[in-house]
Amino acid sequence: MALQTDLSGKTAVITGSNSGIGLGVAEILAQAGADVVLNSFTDRPEDHVLAADLGKRHGISARYVAADMSKPDQCRALIEAAGRCDILVNNAGIQHVAPIEGFAPEKWDAIIAINLSSAFHTTAVALPMMRKAGWGRVVNIASAHGLTASPYKSAYVVAKHGVVGLTKVTALETAEDPITANAICPGYVLTPLVEAQIPDQMKTHNMSRDQVVRDVMLARQPSKEFATVEQLGGTVAFLCSAAADQITGTTVSVDGGWTAL
Ligand code: NAD
């Protein structure tokens, strides 16, 4: 068994991948030789440039397909537009923070649609493609909030617990096929959006960058280190490797010890 992950000849579709974790995962899968389909709901020239640049740097085929993951028909159309889908990474996600009694119903609906239902719709179209190809990987980007809860994040926590449940069902329905389904549960990951919150937090708490990171943002992350998008990409690549053929229906935490607390 080769210990290096060679994904040449495979096509990976990564939802919500024009920034952050999704883009980091696309980068690592492209490095491993996979063709990639990037996605978000926007359709700007820079989205397509991002894909073209990724393809050129890694010598793979990369496309950007605009599709709004809050819309079931567009989730399904994304996978159909990809044409094949050997690796499906359900990553698109949004957040909203408010107490239950003040949580706007439209925010609840949007989070459930984008963070949870989209994974159901893409998986439904991708599984027959994987069965036909004789190999497949479903990797759902859940969260430490798929395993634990925090106040004021009702929709997010429910959606991420739902993603973990969907992952288990997907694994059982594909258990005798050469297909696996797993969820990655990151703690706090250093993405541009997270990085952008640091200066505001420094002002609000009158703290240094190090103090904000350690005592505010990573208060629940025992390692006191952010996970990185490269580490997330590496975890997806591992789940796509032959070493992970018998890993299915489970969660992989990348959370610096958060869920050990
Ligand atoms: P991000 O905002 O950088 O990325 C989210 C991506 O989803 C973007 O590409 C965005 O354009 C896309 N997206 C949003 N709404 C969409 C829609 N309607 N249709 C299609 N695409 C849409 O955030 P991120 O931190 O990279 O988050 C990626 C995933 O990782 C999310 O599911 C998030 O819940 C999860 N996660 C993030 C962290 C973290 O600390 N950053 C921790 C745990 C889990």
Side-chain angles (χ1 to χ4, degrees):
M1 185 179 67
L3 288 179
Q4 202 85 14
T5 314
D6 177 10
L7 298 176
S8 46
K10 312 287 190 207
T11 296
V13 182
I14 305 118
T15 71
S17 48
N18 66 352
S19 73
I21 294 172
L23 186 57
V25 168
E27 185 77 38
I28 301 286
L29 295 183
Q31 236 176 64
D35 294 328
V36 297
V37 175
L38 300 184
N39 153 263
S40 185
F41 60 93
T42 51
D43 200 2
R44 307 163 302 180
E46 55 263 43
D47 295 321
H48 296 272
V49 168
L50 203 59
D53 172 63
L54 191 66
K56 208 187 291 170
R57 280 188 294 110
H58 297 293
I60 48 102
S61 152
R63 284 194 291 146
Y64 177 86
V65 177
D68 184 344
M69 292 298 104
S70 69
K71 309 264 188 325
D73 54 340
Q74 292 193 31
C75 298
R76 288 168 183 263
L78 167 65
I79 306 301
E80 276 152 15
R84 69 178 288 166
C85 180
D86 306 291
I87 300 163
L88 171 61
V89 183
N90 286 305
N91 167 77
I94 57 167
Q95 176 65 284
H96 180 68
V97 180
I100 291 173
E101 63 269 32
F103 209 98
E106 56 277 15
K107 292 281 187 197
W108 170 276
D109 288 345
I111 290 178
I112 299 298
I114 296 168
N115 296 21
L116 173 58
S117 302
S118 69
F120 161 72
H121 295 296
T122 54
T123 302
V125 182
L127 289 184
M129 292 181 178
M130 292 177 182
R131 286 200 175 98
K132 196 167 158 210
W135 188 90
R137 294 286 194 258
V138 179
V139 183
N140 294 324
I141 307 299
S143 164
H145 283 113
L147 303 168
T148 62
S150 294
Y152 315 123
K153 295 186 176 175
S154 53
Y156 189 82
V157 168
V158 166
K160 295 300 188 181
H161 275 69
V163 165
V164 171
L166 176 68
T167 305
K168 292 177 184 176
V169 176
T170 307
L172 293 179
E173 291 187 13
T174 57
E176 292 192 29
D177 300 307
I179 296 171
T180 67
N182 293 289
I184 297 178
C185 294
Y188 242 116
V189 183
L190 192 58
T191 63
L193 276 190
V194 169
E195 182 71 52
Q197 292 168 23
I198 296 177
D200 272 355
Q201 297 270 13
M202 287 167 63
K203 262 190 236 150
T204 310
H205 297 279
N206 193 24
M207 285 178 169
S208 68
R209 187 184 196 281
D210 282 357
Q211 280 175 311
V212 159
V213 167
R214 196 182 163 83
D215 301 332
V216 180
M217 304 185 83
L218 298 180
R220 291 179 71 180
Q221 200 144 307
S223 67
K224 302 297 173 192
E225 299 265 356
F226 286 107
T228 65
V229 299
E230 290 79 12
Q231 290 163 353
L232 270 296
T235 308
V236 175
F238 164 68
L239 289 172
C240 292
S241 73
D245 276 351
Q246 286 302 313
I247 300 177
T248 195
T250 194
T251 56
V252 180
S253 288
V254 185
D255 67 2
W258 178 333
T259 44
L261 279 174

